[in-house]
Amino acid sequence: MDQGPENPAPLTRLTPDEALFRDSVAQFARQEIRPVVREMDDQGRIPRTLIDRFFDLGIMGIQVPEGHGGAGASFFHAVLAVEALSAVDPSVGVLVDVQNTLVINALMRWGSDGVQQRYLPKLAANSVGAYALSEAGSGSDAFALTCRAVEAADGFSLSGRKLWITNANEADVFIVFATVNPDAGYKGITAFLVERDAPGFAIGKKEDKLGIRASSTCELLFDGCLVGRDRILGEVGRGYKVAIETLNEGRIGIGAQMIGLAQGALDHAIAYTKERKQFGKAIADFQGVQFQLARAATELQAARLLVYNAARLRDSGEPFVTAAAMCKLFAADAAEHITSLAVQLFGGYGYVKDYPVEKLYRDAKIGQIYEGTSNLQLQTIAKQILGL
Ligand SMILES: Cc1cc2nc3c(=O)[nH]c(=O)nc-3n(C[C@H](O)[C@H](O)[C@H](O)COP(=O)(O)OP(=O)(O)OC[C@H]3O[C@@H](n4cnc5c(N)ncnc54)[C@H](O)[C@@H]3O)c2cc1C
């Protein structure tokens, strides 16, 4: 049957191209990432040689047009990649997610021709990107940011600090939000592109985290960092729009990270419960265990449908903001429940680092925090359903 408005396809049906892409990323994750997950978590870093493989595979420039050296694929492809990677390592999942759904997405939407020509080919070929909005005093209330941009000779001079910036240790290009006029409130916020080696810019302390430990999260320090006028993303004073609209899309990627890691945990739990014997039989033979697994699989599928729906709405140009908030909210909760169940079903073995579920349990918590906490997603959904 033809797909179209009259005959919409099931959400989980993938086109041959989507299925091939998802399977190749999943195979790569199993073969090249899985063997080093424990080591990366212990060391708190993703080796550059592995990041280079992400570039080789084409997953660092998924939506970048082919003319700029990218894969020219859809946002949905990015979601599939983040899901497949996160089933093996959610730290890798978020590195690829920030690159595609925040940085590249923002550049494609708001970058001038010059900005796109300068940055998109690099991002697709070998440069990692980061997205710097949060500060010590401004998280959920992101537009209370105080990082300052003062007009200078041929651009702006940036001063201040950013906190919690994912990919900061690996990134060559940073999207940085600063205000050109604190009195103007959110209307002073402007998005700038800052390169790693810009004078007056330094990477600060790296956070020692509960989960996604291999993903770098650092402070950024700006002290009179000069940024040319041609490195403004969008317009002066319109950075709030760049921030809101990019995060609206980006949080679908976090939903994908959460369903990927929940799938990983569920797969481990299914395999283990079929092997582990107590009372003379596999623990998966107990109905109490079967029902727990069945509930988890149902919850995961519901989360996946929300994530895929939000991504497909976004790709078809339809309103998706509430769907994105719902998918992240629900997928993060599902990931927390399912990874907790996986630890439970492993018993004592679930509580130690020799088995993978302990890490996935730690990794899951971040889904309720970054790119808008769960309360902020509820706020977005409430606004829409109550017409506020
Ligand atoms: C590992 C990690 C990676 C990150 N990566 C990035 C990144 O790459 N770029 C970036 O810019 N930021 C990043 N962040 C920052 C992240 O987006 C913020 O931590 C998040 O937005 C929450 O802000 P906050 O930490 O200041 O918490 P707060 O805003 O202080 O919130 C604290 C609590 O209060 C609740 N709360 C706040 N306001 C309300 C309200 N109005 N109604 C109800 N409840 C409310 C929140 O839900 C939360 O539970 C990252 C954070 C972490 C931990």
Side-chain angles (χ1 to χ4, degrees), residues 291-305:
F291 284 6
Q292 286 176 298
L293 290 169
R295 191 173 291 281
T298 307
E299 203 179 337
L300 173 55
Q301 187 67 344
R304 180 173 287 115
L305 292 174

Side-chain angles (χ1 to χ4, degrees), residues 98 102 131-136 138-141 163-166 209 212 217 366 369-376 379:
V98 167
L102 291 182
Y131 184 90
L133 177 64
S134 303
E135 298 180 4
S138 62
S140 300
D141 186 11
L163 199 63
W164 312 119
I165 307 310
T166 300
K209 305 193 299 292
I212 54 164
T217 312
I366 193 60
I369 298 174
Y370 59 16
E371 297 205 27
T373 65
S374 289
N375 272 359
L376 270 285
Q379 198 181 71

